[in-house]
Amino acid sequence: MDTAKELIRELQGLVSSECYPEALARVRKDAAVIESSSHSRYCKELLLLVSTISIGNNLIREAEKYMDLLSREYPGIEDDFEYVMKKIQIFQLRNDYDDCSNFIEGCINKKWNDNQKNWLNHYAGRILFWKGDYFQSNRLFEECRDHALSSGDECLEGYSLFMMGYIAFQRCFFEIADVNFNRALECFQRCGKKLSQGRTCKMMAILAYRTGKYDKAEDILKQAIEIFKKTGYEKSFINSNIALGRVHIFRGQYEEAEGFLLKTRRQSLELGFKRETALSSEFLGELCYHRGRYEESLAYLEEAERIACEMAPEGDVAVEVFRRLGDVYIALRRIDEAETALSKAHRLCERLHDKYELGSVLRAYGLISAGKGDIELARSFFNEAIVTLKLIKESFELAKTFMTASGIYCDWSALPSMPAKGRAQLASEAKYHALEAVHLFSSLGLMEKAVECKSLFEKISNRVVFGEIECEYVCIEFRDEWMHGGRLIAKSPSMLDVVDRIGRVAPSDLSVLVSGETGTGKEIVSRLVHDLSGRAKGPFVAVNCASVPPTVFESEFFGHKKGSFTGAYEDKIGFIEQASGGTLFLDEISDLSPQHQAKLLRVLQEEKVRRIGETRERTVDIRVVSASNRDIGGMISSGELRMDFFYRVGAEHIQLEPLRKRKEDIKALFAYYMGRHIDELRVEKGVLELLREYHWPGNVRELVNVVNAMILLGAGKRPVMISDLPLRIRDFQSSEMMTDGSGAVEFEGAAKSGTNLMCKPNCGDLEKTISMCIRRFGGNRSAAARELGISRSTLYRKMKELEI
């Protein structure tokens, strides 16, 4: 019996840390002990543990076998809370949502304590979530979170925050989702739940690729995959690879995506994972659609539809599959079937409040309407899709919508049967939609798509000669005094102060910590510190800490000896040795765990490093420059950044202001990046004002992306026009200008279009807004009226009143 007791203790430790493969190996090794304990006082506890381990390893049949044994050996065990929880987990693993819901309902009124009731409510909330009832599920998760906060149950708090983040994600409240996922991750880190950390990382990665941050998504997914490899949790491992396949689809890397998704589909089928099979098939269908393999796409999507409708016909997978089926049917010219599928998707979008999918459904409706010859209805759908996607700050599907609408308008404007006035109007809209698509695809780093839209832009621009609009132009030039050290552009007082501090600290060997928002130029500052130091001829080794999985941290930083571990096929020099004699740049140090900070601190203090598998230490000579986009004080207070590590890497702290707070730099940056390849940079009067007024959430990086897209469109070879700027910049000033905080709408149609024309703006501002909008659309007053959300008659009346 002592052997059984010892086995239980060891298994409990492994289960607590979610090390299910190790626990399973221990169970298999000591099968005889478990068998001999079948009639001992330890039997019930041991069987429950083994059930948990089987569930953790997705061995559903084994788990059910142990649960059946428990129900036979222990009458009344259905009132045991731990047994009930195992039953619920098995139902969820099998995606049997209706049976699980009925089971929970039958258990909920038994005599449980408050904590047990909240765990049951948590799982009830999960079932409601998977069935698409987001409001009721979120209410349950909020109650569970509040209870967890009051009782100190960090595990329940983490799970509840995770699911609240998932709901916010599904409803396209991406900022709320990000906050909840980060809070959940902190809970799981504190209570040592590695598997849950991996799942949270996976959702943070999906959130990243939904918002166009493909590199970040791939880095986070690789970390999640490493965690799942270690925990052996195949379901989440497969899910992460499905997400990685989706990232490749977004990037247009179809062969890589197909390899991932075919493998995950096969694994999901073998293991009986319904949801994962449906997702793999859905995204394979999407991939085949993009490659023009429509019949193959249809076969995958029909499989995904069948599984989704078996699991949760009103759930998130179903709405995605119906929408994609609609796209494929349109491509196959099976319009009746397309309308049926899109109608189902539309109904579910409205029910689930899924604006991401709704925008895509509306775009598909626009295509169908254009195909039926109703261009006005098509325009209505495209405009509604654009507004819907803009509201959730989505970029990829929005770019696709601009591109699709531009192509349709371009084709229609070439029809001889179209009246001349209508052709000009459509051509104008086609041109500006293509331009906006270029800007969006360029900002996402999808240059092939940007070039495709550029060709569309040039096609329509060459076909139609627009009326000349009188414009005033100004010449701008870049001054050499704004460039510092051949790298850093600085004109504002705050950046000139940064330049001065770099000049003072660079010649020393002091460590430097650079902080600031993403895109403010932290790496440029760090490289300038290196260039102006005595180490300038030595190496500059840049390491993105977020992209280094925890499992290979020591190998990457310290190096390893050949044969020191599985996969160490040759000697490896770590980052620290590579940087010896020069500078080691640690980007995003906030992603280093306190444990890894301690290991780095020891090396930095002793100036010695030992490779994995070696006994001798090697002397290194490095200077550390690091960077973070997070609040340093808050990280120290929360314990995420060790005080001793901060003192070692942050002897000098340089903080960069966001671009919106140093507007003097905007002109200098624009002049430099825009004017590099031309002798004289001419811009329409008003361009620089719009650039200065815009809030630049992506900082310098966003400005450079905007310039690159404009150069792609040919700006610079000719004067840069206001109409060359992306819509978000052109609209920013007018939306700020026209808002008085009252929330009232003056013009008819403004609320319908989503345009921010608020009550009683002053006449000067209104005159300027209308004039700018007319100019933006090449003098096309009908297009300007639609953009402003008013009728043409209202626009003419206002122009007459204001003498425009």
Side-chain angles (χ1 to χ4, degrees):
M1 293 307 103
D2 288 340
T3 307
K5 186 177 179 180
E6 179 63 21
L7 177 60
I8 288 171
R9 188 183 64 78
E10 289 186 27
L11 291 177
Q12 284 174 335
L14 291 169
V15 167
S16 177
S17 56
E18 297 182 319
C19 298
Y20 296 118
E22 293 176 54
L24 183 63
R26 190 82 167 83
V27 167
R28 298 276 162 83
K29 179 183 176 183
D30 291 296
V33 175
I34 295 170
E35 183 65 29
S36 65
S37 304
S38 60
H39 298 290
S40 73
R41 60 194 176 97
Y42 299 115
C43 179
K44 177 181 170 184
E45 190 173 5
L46 196 53
L47 286 174
L48 284 168
L49 261 176
V50 175
S51 300
T52 301
I53 292 162
S54 299
I55 291 168
N57 285 284
N58 297 296
L59 302 172
I60 300 174
R61 290 187 181 87
E62 281 196 31
E64 288 177 328
K65 180 185 73 175
Y66 292 120
M67 295 294 283
D68 289 343
L69 183 58
L70 277 163
S71 64
R72 287 198 306 271
E73 293 288 331
Y74 298 93
I77 198 169
E78 290 79 6
D79 294 329
D80 184 292
F81 185 72
E82 194 173 350
Y83 175 86
V84 167
M85 294 301 286
K86 301 294 170 286
K87 289 281 285 185
I88 291 171
Q89 289 164 3
I90 290 171
F91 279 126
Q92 293 206 343
L93 274 179
R94 295 174 66 89
N95 302 117
D96 292 337
Y97 300 138
D98 288 334
D99 289 345
C100 188
S101 183
N102 292 333
F103 179 77
I104 293 174
E105 192 175 334
C107 294
I108 202 79
N109 293 321
K110 293 183 179 180
K111 293 182 179 180
W112 310 114
N113 62 38
D114 287 346
N115 192 57
Q116 291 169 336
K117 285 179 180 177
N118 275 281
W119 274 104
L120 282 171
N121 280 332
H122 175 83
Y123 278 100
R126 285 183 177 232
I127 295 300
L128 288 168
F129 170 79
W130 294 121
K131 293 176 80 171
D133 191 342
Y134 296 153
F135 287 108
Q136 289 300 321
S137 61
N138 197 69
R139 180 184 60 79
L140 287 174
F141 292 134
E142 285 181 344
E143 290 176 4
C144 292
R145 177 206 56 194
D146 293 343
H147 170 80
L149 284 167
S150 62
S151 65
D153 189 340
E154 286 195 326
C155 188
L156 179 59
E157 181 188 352
Y159 288 139
S160 301
L161 285 166
F162 173 84
M163 292 306 299
M164 288 164 64
Y166 209 153
I167 292 169
F169 169 80
Q170 288 297 125
R171 298 186 65 200
C172 301
F173 300 147
F174 296 142
E175 292 176 357
I176 297 173
D178 187 52
V179 169
N180 282 326
F181 286 143
N182 275 289
R183 287 178 178 169
L185 187 60
E186 290 169 5
C187 289
F188 295 139
Q189 287 170 341
R190 287 196 296 268
C191 55
K193 296 290 184 183
K194 289 287 184 184
L195 179 59
S196 300
Q197 289 175 43
R199 287 170 172 162
T200 308
C201 285
K202 182 201 73 177
M203 283 308 304
M204 292 170 78
I206 295 173
L207 177 61
Y209 76 58
R210 271 285 185 96
T211 51
K213 299 166 186 169
Y214 305 129
D215 290 340
K216 180 180 179 181
E218 189 167 357
D219 288 342
I220 300 174
L221 279 170
K222 286 176 179 176
Q223 291 183 44
I225 286 168
E226 285 298 321
I227 292 172
F228 296 137
K229 276 183 181 177
K230 190 172 182 181
T231 60
Y233 203 76
E234 289 181 279
K235 195 166 194 176
S236 292
F237 179 78
I238 290 170
N239 259 308
S240 296
N241 277 305
I242 291 171
L244 199 51
R246 191 85 199 284
V247 171
H248 288 306
I249 291 176
F250 277 111
R251 285 175 164 165
Q253 299 165 340
Y254 298 133
E255 289 185 12
E256 295 92 330
E258 192 160 13
F260 274 103
L261 294 171
L262 284 171
K263 185 176 181 180
T264 58
R265 179 175 173 273
R266 185 182 68 251
Q267 291 170 331
S268 301
L269 281 167
E270 289 171 356
L271 295 167
F273 297 158
K274 292 181 183 178
R275 182 178 174 83
E276 288 67 31
T277 303
L279 288 171
S280 297
S281 296
E282 175 194 340
F283 298 139
L284 279 165
E286 179 183 19
L287 184 152
C288 292
Y289 168 78
H290 286 306
R291 303 189 83 173
R293 291 154 38 187
Y294 300 130
E295 293 293 347
E296 195 176 346
S297 173
L298 194 58
Y300 280 125
L301 289 171
E302 285 174 344
E303 177 184 61
E305 178 191 15
R306 175 181 56 77
I307 299 169
C309 289
E310 285 176 5
M311 290 190 306
E314 304 280 296
D316 60 319
V317 180
V319 66
E320 294 172 6
V321 172
F322 287 135
R323 193 268 291 177
R324 284 169 173 79
L325 277 169
D327 288 340
V328 176
Y329 284 134
I330 290 171
L332 291 169
R333 302 185 184 280
R334 293 161 59 174
I335 303 304
D336 289 344
E337 290 163 288
E339 289 181 324
T340 299
L342 290 170
S343 176
K344 292 177 182 178
H346 194 179
R347 180 180 63 81
L348 290 179
C349 286
E350 297 287 356
R351 181 178 180 276
L352 300 174
H353 301 272
D354 188 341
K355 289 185 171 56
Y356 180 89
E357 289 297 330
L358 178 60
S360 301
V361 168
L362 291 167
R363 179 180 65 235
Y365 279 149
L367 272 170
I368 290 175
S369 300
K372 289 182 174 181
D374 193 338
I375 192 62
E376 284 303 318
L377 184 59
R379 285 166 63 188
S380 176
F381 280 127
F382 287 138
N383 288 340
E384 192 175 350
I386 288 165
V387 170
T388 300
L389 293 167
K390 280 174 67 177
L391 283 172
I392 61 171
K393 301 179 182 178
E394 204 286 330
S395 296
F396 183 79
E397 294 295 335
L398 180 59
K400 280 177 62 179
T401 304
F402 276 120
M403 181 181 179
T404 302
S406 179
I408 294 290
Y409 298 164
C410 182
D411 292 341
W412 274 74
S413 67
L415 294 176
S417 58
M418 176 70 66
K421 188 175 181 181
R423 285 203 303 272
Q425 183 174 318
L426 285 172
S428 175
E429 292 184 36
K431 177 182 176 182
Y432 289 106
H433 281 8
L435 181 145
E436 189 61 20
V438 170
H439 277 293
L440 286 167
F441 281 128
S442 179
S443 71
L444 294 170
L446 303 177
M447 296 313 296
E448 286 186 15
K449 286 285 187 186
V451 170
E452 191 178 340
C453 293
K454 174 204 172 187
S455 300
L456 189 59
F457 176 82
E458 290 174 342
K459 177 182 176 182
I460 193 66
S461 297
N462 293 334
R463 181 193 297 165
V464 180
V465 178
F466 295 96
E468 289 294 321
I469 305 294
E470 278 193 32
C471 296
E472 291 184 56
Y473 299 104
V474 294
C475 291
I476 60 173
E477 60 179 351
F478 182 80
R479 297 181 185 176
D480 292 341
E481 69 218 47
W482 297 339
M483 177 65 76
H484 303 271
R487 285 191 183 276
L488 186 63
I489 296 166
K491 183 185 175 188
S492 65
S494 68
M495 285 304 292
L496 290 174
D497 181 59
V498 167
V499 170
D500 182 58
R501 293 180 68 186
I502 291 171
R504 285 187 279 110
V505 76
S508 71
D509 259 354
L510 287 173
S511 61
V512 179
L513 172 59
V514 187
S515 63
E517 292 181 6
T518 299
T520 47
K522 297 186 290 295
E523 184 167 350
I524 291 176
V525 168
S526 302
R527 286 185 180 272
L528 187 56
V529 170
H530 172 76
D531 291 347
L532 298 179
S533 73
R535 298 171 174 269
K537 294 182 179 179
F540 180 89
V541 178
V543 181
N544 186 333
C545 299
S547 66
V548 180
T551 51
V552 296
F553 170 83
E554 292 187 44
S555 172
E556 292 293 320
F557 276 89
F558 307 146
H560 63 249
K561 183 180 178 180
K562 179 181 178 181
S564 56
F565 55 85
T566 303
Y569 300 118
E570 57 185 19
D571 289 349
K572 176 183 175 65
I573 300 174
F575 295 137
I576 293 173
E577 276 189 81
Q578 292 174 36
S580 190
T583 302
L584 176 66
F585 173 56
L586 300 176
D587 194 13
E588 301 308 340
I589 59 164
S590 53
D591 287 290
L592 288 172
S593 69
Q595 293 80 7
H596 291 154
Q597 292 172 33
K599 290 177 180 179
L600 277 177
L601 180 62
R602 180 177 175 276
V603 172
L604 298 176
Q605 288 174 336
E606 298 180 3
E607 298 183 341
K608 291 181 180 179
V609 65
R610 184 169 63 209
R611 297 180 188 176
I612 297 172
E614 289 188 345
T615 55
R616 74 184 184 96
E617 293 184 322
R618 302 165 187 265
T619 301
V620 290
D621 172 27
I622 62 171
R623 179 193 197 162
V624 175
V625 179
S626 51
S628 176
N629 62 6
R630 295 181 58 189
D631 173 49
I632 300 300
M635 289 168 59
I636 293 172
S637 300
S638 67
E640 294 174 87
L641 185 64
R642 291 171 57 112
M643 186 74 77
D644 50 1
F645 183 69
F646 168 70
Y647 286 140
R648 183 64 186 78
V649 301
E652 181 74 15
H653 182 193
I654 297 175
Q655 187 157 8
L656 303 182
E657 285 192 335
L659 189 56
R660 61 185 172 275
K661 291 187 178 180
R662 46 185 173 102
K663 293 185 179 293
E664 298 93 335
D665 292 328
I666 292 173
K667 176 181 176 180
L669 289 160
F670 182 77
Y672 175 74
Y673 287 106
M674 195 77 212
R676 280 179 296 179
H677 308 296
I678 58 175
D679 296 327
E680 182 184 50
L681 176 59
R682 297 174 68 214
V683 302
E684 181 184 356
K685 190 175 181 181
V687 166
L688 291 177
E689 286 79 2
L690 285 170
L691 293 175
R692 282 176 58 86
E693 289 300 319
Y694 182 58
H695 65 312
W696 298 107
N699 293 295
V700 179
R701 186 177 299 152
E702 183 182 4
L703 188 149
V704 173
N705 284 336
V706 167
V707 168
N708 288 339
M710 292 168 71
I711 290 172
L712 183 65
L713 290 163
K717 296 177 183 177
R718 54 175 172 74
V720 177
M721 308 290 291
I722 287 174
S723 59
D724 290 320
L725 296 172
L727 192 60
R728 64 184 184 277
I729 296 176
R730 303 199 309 265
D731 275 358
F732 184 75
Q733 188 186 53
S734 60
S735 68
E736 291 289 299
M737 173 194 310
M738 305 301 286
T739 304
D740 70 349
S742 68
V745 178
E746 180 188 20
F747 298 150
E748 65 266 27
K752 181 180 177 182
S753 71
T755 306
N756 286 316
L757 284 175
M758 300 301 181
C759 72
K760 299 181 181 178
N762 72 65
C763 292
D765 288 345
L766 182 55
E767 179 182 356
K768 185 176 179 182
T769 300
I770 292 174
S771 298
M772 285 172 58
C773 197
I774 293 172
R775 180 176 294 175
R776 183 190 313 161
F777 286 97
N780 187 319
R781 296 178 182 182
S782 295
R786 279 193 301 277
E787 178 70 9
L788 292 166
I790 59 179
S791 66
R792 280 184 298 174
S793 59
T794 301
L795 176 62
Y796 291 138
R797 177 169 53 81
K798 288 292 178 184
M799 290 175 67
K800 185 176 180 180
E801 288 174 5
L802 298 168
E803 298 182 350
I804 297 175

